[in-house]
Amino acid sequence: MMDYSQKISERLWNLPDKGERESRREETFIDDIVQKNHIERELLSNLDGVETVFDGGAGSGRFSILLAKQGCKVTHFDISQPMIDKAKELAEKEGVLDRITFVKGALEDLTEYSDRSFDLVMSFDAPVSYTHPNQETVIGNLVRIAKKKIMISVSSRLGSLPYLANPFNKNQFILDENCSDPWVKWCIKNKSNMIERFHFNKENVEKIWASGLMGGEAEIEEYERGGTPWCITYTFLPDELKRILEKFGVQEVQLAGPGAYARTIPNEILVKMMNDPEQRKDFLDFCYRFDSNPYVCGMGKDNLFAKGIIR
C-alpha cells in the first residue's frame, strides 16, 4: 500500500472534470459552504505577520486566491493539473495571477522546500489523509516548512463514522436539487436504492473505529484494473491530531469541527436558510461559534480542523 496513496490520488484528481467540479462545490453543497466559510474566517483573522503562504493540496484555488487578494505571496501546490489549470484561470480573473506560484507535486515529497520557508502553511479538505501510510510524516514536513503558523484540515474519524449508517448523507446538503451537477443527480436518483440495499455492518464500523482507515485492498484492486477509486483515507481522532502536531513542535493547538452544527439540521431548513441572505449570515456566524467549541470538534461533517503557532 506504500506507494498507492500517490498513485490513486494522481489518477483520481487528474480526471479532466475535477478542476471545474471542485471549483463549484460551494454552489452545489451546503456542507462545503459551511466548511469553507469556517476556514475563511480563521485565515482572515490570523494574517498578522503573514507575507508568504504554502497551500498544500490547494485544489482549484479557493484559499490560495483568497490570500493572494490579501496581498500574500502564495505557493499553490497540488497533485492535479486540471485543478491547477482551473486555479490559474480563476486567479487571472481575480487579478492575482502574479502573486501565486503554481507547483504540481505530491504532499509526500516536500524536499525542495527548506525549513521555515513560509510564514503560514495550510492544507485543507483532507489531502493529508490521502497520503496513508505517510500521513504523520507529511504533517511533520508541513510543520517543518512553516515559520510562524500552520492550519490544516484532515478527515475526521468521529465525523466520518456516521456515514456508515447513512449511505445518502450527502443528500442532506444539496443546495438545489434541479442543478446540473452529475453528483447531485446521482444522489437523488439513487436514494431509494441506497436505502433498500443498506445493511448496518458492525464489523466494518468497528474496524474503522480501531484503525482509522477507510479503504484498502478493494481500492488497490480497482486501481490495478484501470479504475479511478476514491483515495484510501486515514481518519484522525482529535487528540491524535493534536498529539502529532505537538510532537513536531506546534504550540497552542486549537481544534474545530466545521459542520458539526449543520449536520443536525434537515435539508429543507438548510436550503431555506441558505436562500435568505440575512438567515444565511446569522446561521454561518453561529456555525462558526458552535463548531469551534472543543467539545464538538470531532463531530464536524467530515473534516477535523487544526491550527497552531510555530516558535
Side-chain angles (χ1 to χ4, degrees), residues 270-282:
L270 288 171
V271 171
K272 184 175 182 180
M273 290 189 292
M274 288 297 105
N275 287 329
D276 179 327
E278 184 176 349
Q279 288 189 70
R280 177 177 175 137
K281 180 185 180 304
D282 290 345

Side-chain angles (χ1 to χ4, degrees), residues 20-280:
E20 185 63 34
R21 287 182 61 184
E22 290 295 309
S23 71
R24 297 184 179 277
R25 276 169 50 181
E26 284 175 273
E27 301 171 17
T28 310
F29 292 106
I30 296 165
D31 53 336
D32 283 294
I33 294 172
V34 172
Q35 179 174 301
K36 288 176 172 57
N37 179 267
H38 186 109
I39 292 171
E40 179 175 309
R41 289 169 187 253
E42 289 285 6
L43 287 172
L44 294 181
S45 62
N46 285 279
L47 287 182
D48 288 348
V50 172
E51 297 180 1
T52 57
V53 178
F54 178 87
D55 191 354
S60 55
R62 172 65 170 84
F63 298 113
S64 55
I65 292 171
L66 172 73
L67 295 196
K69 289 171 72 174
Q70 300 299 310
C72 299
K73 289 287 187 180
V74 183
T75 295
H76 177 112
F77 185 94
D78 202 273
I79 201 168
S80 165
Q81 192 60 49
M83 294 281 205
I84 290 173
D85 292 342
K86 186 63 181 180
K88 285 181 178 179
E89 174 192 325
L90 296 173
E92 185 172 20
K93 188 180 297 184
E94 294 293 333
V96 294
L97 197 58
D98 61 327
R99 294 185 199 151
I100 304 178
T101 300
F102 295 91
V103 180
K104 187 175 187 294
L107 284 179
E108 291 92 334
D109 182 10
L110 299 178
T111 53
E112 70 174 280
Y113 300 107
S114 58
D115 296 2
R116 308 295 179 253
S117 295
F118 303 92
D119 295 328
L120 167 65
V121 169
M122 60 187 189
S123 179
F124 299 127
D125 214 9
V128 169
S129 284
Y130 305 147
T131 64
H132 176 82
N134 303 306
Q135 67 275 1
E136 192 162 333
T137 300
V138 168
I139 291 174
N141 275 310
L142 289 171
V143 175
R144 176 183 64 79
I145 66 173
K147 184 178 181 181
K148 297 179 179 179
K149 302 176 183 181
I150 185 165
M151 295 188 195
I152 63 174
S153 65
V154 299
S155 292
S156 166
R157 192 175 314 179
L158 297 175
S160 297
L161 278 168
Y163 295 170
L164 300 182
N166 182 5
F168 53 92
N169 69 87
K170 200 67 176 177
N171 293 54
Q172 177 186 1
F173 298 98
I174 293 172
L175 185 57
D176 178 8
E177 291 190 349
N178 298 311
C179 75
S180 60
D181 185 88
W183 191 12
V184 169
K185 291 184 175 182
W186 187 93
C187 288
I188 294 169
K189 180 180 178 181
N190 288 276
K191 181 178 179 180
S192 296
N193 290 336
M194 286 188 284
I195 295 172
E196 185 175 335
R197 293 163 52 191
F198 174 75
H199 176 79
F200 185 73
N201 187 325
K202 182 183 177 182
E203 182 180 348
N204 195 29
V205 171
E206 293 283 2
K207 182 180 177 182
I208 295 171
W209 176 267
S211 71
L213 197 61
M214 302 184 78
E217 294 303 322
E219 284 72 17
I220 292 172
E221 289 174 8
E222 184 180 346
Y223 175 89
E224 291 295 346
R225 291 195 301 267
T228 52
W230 187 258
C231 301
I232 297 167
T233 305
Y234 183 78
T235 61
F236 290 78
L237 290 169
D239 56 346
E240 175 190 17
L241 180 60
K242 187 171 188 280
R243 173 187 60 77
I244 292 169
L245 288 166
E246 290 177 341
K247 182 181 83 168
F248 290 116
V250 181
Q251 299 182 23
E252 299 180 26
V253 176
Q254 295 180 47
L255 304 176
Y261 188 62
R263 77 185 304 164
T264 68
I265 301 169
N267 174 259
E268 295 85 350
I269 301 301
L270 288 171
V271 171
K272 184 175 182 180
M273 290 189 292
M274 288 297 105
N275 287 329
D276 179 327
E278 184 176 349
Q279 288 189 70
R280 177 177 175 137

